[in-house]
Amino acid sequence: MVTEKEIEYLNNLYKDRVVYHGEMHDHACTGGTSDGKHTLEQWKGAMDALKVDFAAILDHRQVRHMYLPAFEDGLFICGTEPAALITDSNAEYKWIHYNLIVPNPKALENILNEFTEYEFTGGNEGHFKYAEFSLKRFRELIASLKACGGFFVHPHPALIMKSDNALDYWFSDETGFEVFYYNTDNEMTHKNYELWVDILSKGKRIWAIAGGDGHSCC
């Protein structure tokens, strides 16, 4: 439970600032390999009703969603949600999902072309595969993403990856860690929060991110 003192502290952090409310992990029905249940047009209506300022639409294994006429820059944040096998990870289960959030569609295409492990087919309808990476190569991917103004997030970490060592869930500082999943009462939210606090206690610096992972509307 959040205390009054914590709420006051957070309010002071945002004093004299404009606060935007949104989600950093969502999916839409955009054709191709997307698995969302609602179109971008339906998303716009739902966001307006809830007064949500933005949503990161991160459809799987494709870039086409960012080139659709309904994809409005600023309202929708560009990116995708791949999956990877980290071949030399110490985790018991080495597969992870990860979100690549980018300033524009071209930045994502450049990343997918640079890292040939994706076998990206290119163009507005381009698709890519879930790739295998060594930890070294995966961190190179994160560095390239940062260099183009992008942002890396480890989504729903406790849901996919399995390890007793919190540092297995950390890949680089100045990245996002999806702590809040669906809502604050969700079982995964509690597990992710414990992981995040453990990682911070070990001297790493990553941001807590809220993601709905909405395959329906927000």
Side-chain angles (χ1 to χ4, degrees):
M1 181 66 69
V2 179
T3 66
E4 290 295 328
K5 184 177 180 180
E6 288 171 326
I7 292 172
E8 181 183 2
Y9 176 76
L10 289 171
N11 285 336
N12 287 333
L13 285 178
Y14 288 102
K15 187 177 181 181
D16 300 323
R17 297 173 183 262
V18 177
V19 179
Y20 297 95
H21 297 90
E23 293 181 351
M24 294 295 287
H25 182 184
D26 290 301
H27 301 274
C29 179
T30 58
T33 55
S34 71
D35 60 355
K37 303 293 192 299
H38 293 84
T39 65
L40 293 175
E41 288 85 356
Q42 290 171 316
W43 263 90
K44 286 181 178 181
M47 292 169 68
D48 185 58
L50 290 172
K51 301 189 185 310
V52 172
D53 297 306
F54 65 88
I57 302 297
L58 310 174
D59 286 343
H60 300 276
R61 293 182 293 153
Q62 67 178 19
V63 300
R64 76 182 314 271
H65 56 288
M66 297 179 292
Y67 292 100
L68 296 176
F71 195 95
E72 185 179 330
D73 186 36
L75 179 66
F76 295 123
I77 309 299
C78 298
T80 188
E81 180 186 4
L85 177 67
I86 309 299
T87 55
D88 54 348
S89 168
N90 292 318
E92 178 184 351
Y93 190 69
K94 302 174 188 293
W95 276 95
I96 68 162
H97 285 209
Y98 57 102
N99 295 342
L100 303 178
I101 297 172
V102 291
N104 53 66
K106 192 62 181 176
L108 180 57
E109 286 194 45
N110 290 340
I111 289 286
L112 295 172
N113 281 317
E114 177 185 354
F115 289 83
T116 56
E117 292 91 340
Y118 289 115
E119 297 181 12
F120 180 53
T121 59
N124 298 7
E125 293 287 337
H127 289 75
F128 60 91
K129 72 171 193 175
Y130 292 161
E132 295 184 9
F133 291 99
S134 67
L135 274 170
K136 179 177 182 295
R137 183 65 168 162
F138 197 60
R139 286 170 179 151
E140 289 173 356
L141 168 66
I142 296 172
S144 289
L145 183 67
K146 288 182 181 180
C148 75
F151 186 55
F152 174 91
V153 177
H154 189 177
H156 46 65
L159 186 66
I160 302 292
M161 191 176 178
K162 304 299 177 189
S163 175
D164 293 329
N165 183 359
L167 288 184
D168 286 336
Y169 296 84
W170 170 89
F171 299 103
S172 173
D173 279 348
E174 299 177 357
T175 56
F177 196 80
E178 194 174 78
V179 172
F180 302 99
Y181 188 60
Y182 278 108
N183 57 60
T184 55
D185 294 327
N186 185 276
E187 178 187 2
M188 287 299 112
T189 294
H190 294 298
K191 290 182 178 180
N192 295 338
Y193 182 81
E194 291 172 2
L195 279 170
W196 178 60
V197 170
D198 198 357
I199 292 169
L200 292 181
S201 73
K202 291 173 168 55
K204 306 302 182 183
R205 290 296 171 258
I206 51 178
W207 284 289
I209 299 297
D213 197 12
H215 288 67
S216 300
C217 281
C218 58

